[in-house]
Amino acid sequence: MKIKNSCCFAARRPQRLQELHLQHNGVEAVGDQALAGLASLALLDLSGNRLHTMAAAALRPLLSLQVLRVTENPWRCDCALHWLRSWMDDEGRRLLSSSERRRLRCREPPRLSRLGLLEVPPNSLVCIPPLVQLEPRRMAVRLGDSLRVSCHASGYPRPQEQSPSIHPSIHPSIHPSIHPSIHPSSSSPSSTHSS
């Protein structure tokens, strides 16, 4: 389940909602605007879900928040959680119990697996930009010819690959210009696409 907006939490008056218990519901993502309009929310329980990451923007609308529960999630401790690590030392002290703070553990990357987020030095919360390698890099083909292109992507978090779009350039022989769309995701680190 991916939570994108607050419409589903209280059909009549979400602005008066004080407690939101979403523990063990298979929640995979909380969008930046998912909790907008819930300024009266005092308790948010997202424990025991499938959250890998969460943006700081998701918590900003929660002006009255007093208790936050986010343990037992498979957190991916990378640059996207740098804010959470800093927040836990500052404002998070008030919202997360000391037990919660100790139990917020990294699942990924392997080198940080099972460490508590507070045990991870902030400079270890890194991301590696996507790197895309296309094979062959250049090829001349004629209209109607078949073309096979391999695309290998790496980075952390692992890039999500989508089929490339092929745009022939204007040239005496047609040279395709390939523009794959790369987005952070949990898909495999490399794969092959054919067109």
Side-chain angles (χ1 to χ4, degrees), residues 27-83:
V27 176
E28 296 174 4
V30 179
D32 291 356
Q33 297 299 310
L35 304 170
L38 301 178
S40 296
L41 197 67
L43 182 145
L44 175 60
D45 191 343
L46 289 166
S47 59
N49 282 292
R50 296 181 188 149
L51 293 171
H52 293 280
T53 193
M54 183 167 50
L59 297 180
R60 278 192 200 115
L62 307 180
L63 305 175
S64 303
L65 194 63
Q66 296 172 19
V67 177
L68 177 64
R69 296 182 186 138
V70 290
T71 58
E72 300 174 47
N73 280 291
W75 294 108
R76 184 179 59 227
C77 295
D78 61 13
C79 62
L81 284 188
H82 195 277
W83 75 270

Side-chain angles (χ1 to χ4, degrees), residues 13-177:
R13 294 190 179 101
Q15 68 276 11
R16 292 188 179 186
L17 188 65
Q18 295 195 357
E19 292 188 6
L20 184 55
H21 297 270
L22 294 171
Q23 66 271 26
H24 304 287
N25 269 293
V27 176
E28 296 174 4
V30 179
D32 291 356
Q33 297 299 310
L35 304 170
L38 301 178
S40 296
L41 197 67
L43 182 145
L44 175 60
D45 191 343
L46 289 166
S47 59
N49 282 292
R50 296 181 188 149
L51 293 171
H52 293 280
T53 193
M54 183 167 50
L59 297 180
R60 278 192 200 115
L62 307 180
L63 305 175
S64 303
L65 194 63
Q66 296 172 19
V67 177
L68 177 64
R69 296 182 186 138
V70 290
T71 58
E72 300 174 47
N73 280 291
W75 294 108
R76 184 179 59 227
C77 295
D78 61 13
C79 62
L81 284 188
H82 195 277
W83 75 270
L84 183 58
R85 171 65 175 82
S86 299
W87 180 84
M88 287 172 65
D89 280 335
D90 190 29
E91 188 180 348
R93 284 185 182 273
R94 180 178 60 85
L95 301 178
L96 294 168
S97 70
S98 59
S99 168
E100 282 280 314
R101 293 174 64 222
R102 283 191 310 272
R103 291 176 34 226
L104 205 152
R105 301 218 167 268
C106 302
R107 171 85 47 95
E108 297 178 53
R111 67 186 173 81
L112 301 176
S113 181
R114 301 183 189 220
L115 284 179
L117 185 55
L118 281 176
E119 299 172 87
V120 177
N123 63 355
S124 292
L125 297 170
V126 296
C127 293
I128 301 168
L131 173 65
V132 178
Q133 295 176 325
L134 299 174
E135 305 252 341
R137 293 182 63 82
R138 278 185 95 73
M139 174 186 282
V141 294
R142 287 178 279 193
L143 194 58
D145 285 352
S146 295
L147 172 65
R148 181 171 178 88
V149 178
S150 296
C151 176
H152 303 279
S154 62
Y156 190 83
R158 291 179 211 116
Q160 174 187 2
E161 297 178 17
Q162 297 177 344
S163 296
S165 56
I166 299 176
H167 305 279
S169 59
I170 309 276
H171 194 271
S173 62
I174 300 173
H175 295 277
S177 173

